[in-house]
């Protein structure tokens, strides 16, 4: 698999999904610096694919988990380091809510216009009803770069956290809640 890291949006967007094109348009309209790695043969579904993509991106690649409460009335997008274990009890305790679970794909598509495997902070641009709250593990904010998908898992992007959680998040009219995961159990 030959992977190339390129700066900015692709010169030719023909054949790309509209939601992916909207991601590039948003990033470009904000004047943000970002890098892109197309990997159409590797959908970032296997750890081997992810490791190859990670080595090119040189960015923290996050687990992006789409969660909800039992009643399916509160939805969350959790960004956390890929190597941290996720414990729903730990997160639920910090949020002061009942135990969270993984939301069904239809909610992901309804609120973020994203399918499983492509979950990304950029999906918040499609959440016009503000149904999804962004949760970010504090360690994600500490890296030099953070990786994400442009609403499709055949391309990966890298951005500076200050850009991602600053102007980009504001442009999508969302805010973040910082959480601290991976704490030793008491």
């Amino acid at each position: 698999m030959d992977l190339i890291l390129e700066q900015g949006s692709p010169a030719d967007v023909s054949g790309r999904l509209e939601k992916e094109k909207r991601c590039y348009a948003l990033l470009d309209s904000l004047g943000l610096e970002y890098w892109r790695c197309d990997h159409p043969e590797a959908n970032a579904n296997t750890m081997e694919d992810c490791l190859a993509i990670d080595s090119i991106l040189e960015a923290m690649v996050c687990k992006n988990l789409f969660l909800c409460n039992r009643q399916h009335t509160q939805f969350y997008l959790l960004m956390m380091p890929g190597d941290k274990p996720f414990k729903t009890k730990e997160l639920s305790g910090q949020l002061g809510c009942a135990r969270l679970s993984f939301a069904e794909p239809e909610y992901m598509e309804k609120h973020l216009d994203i399918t499983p495997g492509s979950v990304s902070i950029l999906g918040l641009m499609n959440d016009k009803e503000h149904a999804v709250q962004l949760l970010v593990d504090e360690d994600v904010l500490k890296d030099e770069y953070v990786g994400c998908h442009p609403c499709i898992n055949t391309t990966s992007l890298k951005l500076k956290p200050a850009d991602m959680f600053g102007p980009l998040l504001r442009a999508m009219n969302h805010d973040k809640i910082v959480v601290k995961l991976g704490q030793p159990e008491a």
Side-chain angles (χ1 to χ4, degrees):
M1 175 169 47
D2 290 331
L3 300 175
I4 299 170
L5 191 63
E6 300 180 75
Q7 190 167 6
S9 61
D12 180 9
V13 293
S14 60
R16 296 187 186 250
L17 298 175
E18 285 304 314
K19 59 187 171 184
E20 180 180 4
K21 293 177 192 177
R22 287 193 312 267
C23 290
Y24 300 132
L26 175 60
L27 292 167
D28 292 343
S29 74
L30 297 171
L32 299 181
E33 187 176 51
Y34 64 98
W35 291 264
R36 183 187 86 264
C37 177
D38 294 318
H39 42 85
E41 300 84 31
N43 291 345
N45 287 329
T46 69
M47 284 312 297
E48 292 78 20
D49 287 345
C50 289
L51 290 173
I53 296 162
D54 292 356
S55 68
I56 296 295
L57 279 183
E58 296 180 338
M60 175 184 285
V61 176
C62 298
K63 281 183 201 172
N64 292 281
L65 306 177
F66 189 61
L67 308 166
C68 67
N69 64 354
R70 190 169 294 151
Q71 298 79 18
H72 299 99
T73 56
Q74 295 176 305
F75 296 92
Y76 303 91
L77 171 58
L78 171 63
M79 295 179 68
M80 63 184 290
D83 59 354
K84 265 193 183 184
F86 172 63
K87 297 177 183 163
T88 184
K89 181 179 177 183
E90 180 182 30
L91 181 59
S92 298
Q94 288 183 47
L95 297 176
C97 64
R99 189 167 290 226
L100 300 172
S101 62
F102 292 98
E104 288 81 5
E106 60 262 23
Y107 291 109
M108 189 183 309
E109 291 181 48
K110 175 184 175 185
H111 297 301
L112 301 178
D113 190 22
I114 293 180
T115 55
S118 301
V119 179
S120 164
I121 187 173
L122 284 164
L124 293 174
M125 70 186 287
N126 302 314
D127 181 25
K128 305 297 185 201
E129 297 174 5
H130 299 77
V132 181
Q133 174 63 59
L134 178 64
L135 307 173
V136 182
D137 180 80
E138 65 180 3
D139 288 338
V140 172
L141 303 171
K142 297 174 184 174
D143 251 44
E144 184 177 4
Y145 293 101
V146 178
C148 67
H149 293 303
C151 296
I152 186 71
N153 66 355
T154 54
T155 298
S156 295
L157 306 177
K158 89 174 188 178
L159 291 98
K160 294 178 182 173
D163 291 340
M164 182 180 282
F165 301 111
L168 177 59
L169 200 55
R170 283 192 301 275
M172 296 186 296
N173 295 312
H174 278 74
D175 200 1
K176 69 182 180 307
I177 295 174
V178 178
V179 295
K180 190 173 185 174
L181 302 175
Q183 300 305 303
E185 295 191 29

